[in-house]
């Protein structure tokens, strides 16, 4: 049984990680309202601003699996500190970049931000596996709340200080302050994975995903030959990675863990969930701002009003994630994820069939947000519970990568679909139609139904096998792994 001091230490570590994840969310939501100002500052077109998100997305695909695996081998706290220092330094470069090219380099170097959550999942699961579901829900809720705060706060800060560089510097200061906090409040993970990092596997997997995602995300802008070539090269690299993973002693990702180890199905659910979650964001925002007098649909909301409504949706997701563990203890984890999928499907269908007034539509956004929060707060626990005790970091990293990759692909495919369903305007340009938005939301509703059904086929998690004493860093730290009684 754990002592009061051990419980207090574990609670303090989780509390600090929640604060840190709140800051991580703020940074992730910080840039979106500043895109126009960034374009003006660096003198680039609106189309070029798409690379702000693309550079970060593609870089995360490369670094998240690698850093997650390094955490399993060398310690999650150690890698978290290094990742935080990299993000802080990259944020300084983003703030003071003399040109747009270096700005994008800094944005790509911020990619370790996406590995914070997988490393934190591993830390809280190894320190207190009995309460890891509650801790994971709190971390996800903090991330969601932080992203909402960041999206609302950055524009206000820019207006107040009048300097884009100073506005972009604030997240760097917070990240730098987190480094000593990690050193003081977070203890190192007691369990280590054996072996060395499979750097060839990291290059093949990362390069393959970048090539596939790069082609998919540029379907509407690249020539068809370039898209096909990129995706073909990516497919070849991924096949080479799968062959390599079966031949090396300690692969970056153990394929048996995916195919027979119990996390393959949760990762598939994460992919389907990420596709509807990230793919629907831009269409919802555009629909809110569409002028019904001109287009015959939408609500004509101002940018500030649309931001508030999207923030309400994000707050609903925060509440869903906060209470996800309690719901899971009543229904079970798989049924809770299925419930979240059902809420999402209902919300998308109601947005199509009964958009009503702006107030009515906001209610449907709240329902969608609650569903998102419930899934986000529960699904990671299904992943970490089914991962080997020395592979929680890489399993969580794959979960995050699956969601992100699906979002990139879905965003590109939805943009292509909406473009195909657009209609010529009097000015000669093409404008979106109501049917184009409905098509996206029908697909999202379908994805929600599919992952809600698939998740029910996930088997009960087996107790993780005991790790031999020689593989643990110290016996004192192991006491924190005892279940709470």
């Amino acid at each position: 049984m754990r002592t009061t001091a051990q419980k207090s230490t574990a609670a303090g570590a989780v509390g600090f990680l929640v604060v840190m994840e709140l800051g991580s969310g703020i940074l992730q939501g910080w840039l979106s309202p500043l895109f126009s100002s960034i374009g003006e500052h660096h003198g680039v077109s609106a189309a070029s601003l798409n690379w702000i998100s693309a550079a970060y997305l593609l870089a995360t695909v490369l670094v998240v699996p690698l850093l997650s695996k390094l955490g399993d081998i060398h310690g999650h706290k150690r890698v978290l500190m290094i990742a935080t220092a990299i993000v802080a330094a990259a944020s300084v470069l983003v703030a003071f970049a003399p040109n747009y090219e270096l700005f994008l380099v800094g944005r790509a170097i911020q990619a370790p931000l996406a590995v914070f959550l997988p490393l934190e999942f591993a830390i809280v699961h190894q320190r207190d596996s009995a309460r890891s579901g509650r801790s994971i829900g709190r971390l996800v809720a903090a991330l969601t709340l932080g992203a909402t705060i960041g999206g609302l706060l950055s524009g206000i800060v820019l207006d107040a200080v009048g300097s884009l560089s100073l506005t972009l510097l604030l997240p760097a200061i917070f990240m730098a302050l987190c480094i000593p906090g990690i050193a003081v409040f977070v203890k190192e993970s007691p369990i280590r994975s054996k072996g060395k990092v499979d750097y060839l596997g990291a290059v093949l997997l990362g390069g393959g995903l970048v090539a596939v995602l790069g082609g998919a995300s540029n379907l509407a802008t690249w020539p068809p030959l370039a898209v096909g070539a990129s995706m073909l090269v990516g497919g070849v690299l991924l096949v080479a990675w799968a062959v390599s993973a079966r031949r090396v002693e300690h692969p970056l990702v153990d394929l048996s863990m995916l195919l027979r180890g119990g996390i393959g199905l949760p990762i598939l659910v994460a992919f389907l969930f990420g596709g509807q979650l990230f793919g629907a964001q831009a269409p919802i925002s555009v629909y809110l701002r569409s002028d019904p007098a001109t287009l015959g649909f939408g609500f004509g909301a101002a940018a500030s009003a649309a931001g508030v409504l999207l923030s309400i949706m994000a707050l609903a997701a925060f509440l869903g994630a906060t209470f996800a563990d309690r719901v899971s203890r009543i229904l079970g984890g798989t049924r809770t994820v299925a419930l979240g999928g059902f809420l999402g499907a209902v919300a998308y269908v109601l947005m199509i069939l009964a958009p009503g007034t702006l107030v009515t539509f906001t209610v449907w956004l709240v329902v969608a947000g609650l569903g998102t929060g419930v899934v986000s707060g529960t699904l990671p626990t299904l992943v970490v519970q089914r991962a080997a005790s020395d592979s929680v970091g890489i399993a969580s990293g794959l979960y995050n990568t699956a969601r992100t990759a699906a979002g990139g692909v879905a965003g590109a495919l939805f943009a292509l679909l909406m473009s195909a369903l657009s209609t010529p305007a009097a000015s000669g340009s093409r404008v979106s139609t109501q049917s184009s938005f409905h098509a996206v939301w029908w697909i999202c509703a379908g994805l929600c139904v599919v992952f809600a059904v698939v998740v029910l086929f996930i088997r009960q998690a087996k107790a993780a096998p005991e790790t031999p004493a020689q593989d643990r860093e110290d016996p004192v730290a192991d006491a924190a792994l005892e279940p709470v009684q």
Side-chain angles (χ1 to χ4, degrees):
M1 186 167 61
R2 299 192 328 168
T3 66
T4 302
Q6 288 171 337
K7 292 179 181 180
S8 177
T9 300
V14 172
F16 174 77
L17 291 176
V18 166
V19 173
M20 183 173 174
E21 202 53 47
L22 181 69
S24 169
I26 290 174
L27 177 53
Q28 293 188 42
W30 196 257
L31 287 185
S32 295
L34 306 178
F35 276 17
S36 297
S37 299
I38 292 169
E40 294 172 4
H41 182 77
H42 290 289
V44 297
S45 65
S48 298
L49 294 176
N50 290 324
W51 280 103
I52 297 176
S53 298
Y56 175 78
L57 168 67
L58 295 177
T60 61
V61 170
L62 282 168
V63 305
V64 169
L66 178 59
L67 292 180
S68 298
K69 186 67 174 182
L70 286 170
D72 286 337
I73 295 176
H74 299 294
H76 303 109
K77 171 185 174 177
R78 183 179 304 171
V79 175
L80 181 60
M81 288 184 68
I82 294 171
T84 305
I86 293 172
V87 173
S91 299
V92 174
L93 176 57
V94 165
F96 296 107
N99 54 58
Y100 191 56
E101 290 73 21
L102 281 177
F103 176 91
L104 292 180
V105 170
R107 182 64 174 145
I109 300 175
Q110 284 181 325
L113 182 68
V115 85
F116 285 10
L117 210 56
L119 293 172
E120 291 162 356
F121 287 168
I123 290 170
V124 300
H125 182 69
Q126 287 196 6
R127 304 303 305 183
D128 191 353
S129 59
R131 300 190 181 187
S132 61
R134 182 184 306 174
S135 299
I136 286 173
R138 289 173 178 172
L139 290 170
V140 173
L143 173 66
T144 304
L145 180 62
T148 305
I149 294 173
L152 291 173
L153 195 59
S154 60
I156 297 174
V157 171
L158 178 60
D159 290 340
V161 303
S163 170
L164 179 64
S165 293
L166 290 179
T167 303
L168 294 173
L169 184 63
L170 289 181
I173 296 172
F174 179 85
M175 288 291 117
L177 293 174
C178 284
I179 298 173
I182 299 172
V184 172
F185 294 107
V186 181
K187 287 190 175 182
E188 187 55 275
S189 306
I191 300 175
R192 296 285 191 279
S193 175
K194 295 181 179 179
K196 300 178 180 179
V197 178
D198 176 20
Y199 288 105
L200 175 61
V203 171
L204 293 174
L205 176 61
L209 290 174
V210 166
V212 170
L213 287 176
S217 60
N218 287 282
L219 282 169
T221 56
W222 285 3
L225 184 60
V227 171
S230 179
M231 299 187 76
L232 177 61
V233 169
V236 171
L237 290 175
L238 290 176
V239 170
W241 162 72
V243 172
S244 172
R246 290 183 177 277
R247 294 183 176 180
V248 298
E249 184 178 0
H250 300 290
L252 178 72
V253 179
D254 187 352
L255 292 179
S256 65
M257 178 177 68
L258 285 175
L259 300 177
R260 298 185 298 276
I263 73 164
L265 213 51
I267 296 298
L268 173 61
V269 173
F271 184 85
L272 297 171
F273 170 59
Q276 62 82 30
L277 172 63
F278 297 115
Q281 287 178 353
I284 289 174
S285 177
V286 173
Y287 190 86
L288 288 171
R289 299 201 60 191
S290 296
D291 185 4
T294 304
L295 300 174
F297 63 88
F299 300 102
S304 57
V308 170
L309 295 178
L310 293 174
S311 297
I312 292 174
M313 182 181 181
L315 287 174
F318 164 73
L319 292 175
T322 300
F323 293 101
D325 181 64
R326 297 183 185 180
V327 178
S328 181
R329 276 181 265 163
I330 297 172
L331 299 180
T334 55
R335 291 192 183 95
T336 301
V337 174
L339 172 63
F342 172 75
L343 290 175
V346 168
Y348 286 122
V349 171
L350 290 173
M351 284 192 285
I352 297 167
L353 301 181
T357 64
L358 188 57
V359 173
T360 306
F361 197 82
T362 303
V363 173
W364 308 151
L365 293 181
V366 169
V367 174
L370 287 172
T372 294
V374 167
V375 176
S376 297
T378 308
L379 186 54
T381 304
L382 298 183
V383 174
V384 301
Q385 286 177 343
R386 285 156 180 78
S389 57
D390 62 351
S391 300
V392 176
I394 185 63
S396 301
L398 290 175
Y399 162 79
N400 251 24
T401 300
R403 292 171 67 237
T404 305
V409 172
L413 292 177
F414 288 170
L416 194 63
L417 174 63
M418 293 184 69
S419 177
L421 295 176
S422 63
T423 186
S427 61
S429 61
R430 299 185 67 85
V431 296
S432 298
T433 60
Q434 188 168 33
S435 61
S436 66
F437 291 93
H438 288 178
V440 168
W441 293 336
W442 278 122
I443 293 172
C444 289
L447 289 173
C448 287
V449 171
V450 171
F451 80 70
V453 172
V454 170
V455 75
L456 296 176
F457 288 90
I458 296 177
R459 294 174 295 179
Q460 175 102 16
K462 296 179 180 179
E466 284 294 321
T467 302
Q470 62 266 26
D471 292 339
R472 298 190 176 183
E473 193 166 71
D474 63 77
V476 176
D478 291 343
L481 295 176
E482 296 176 9
V484 178
Q485 297 182 2

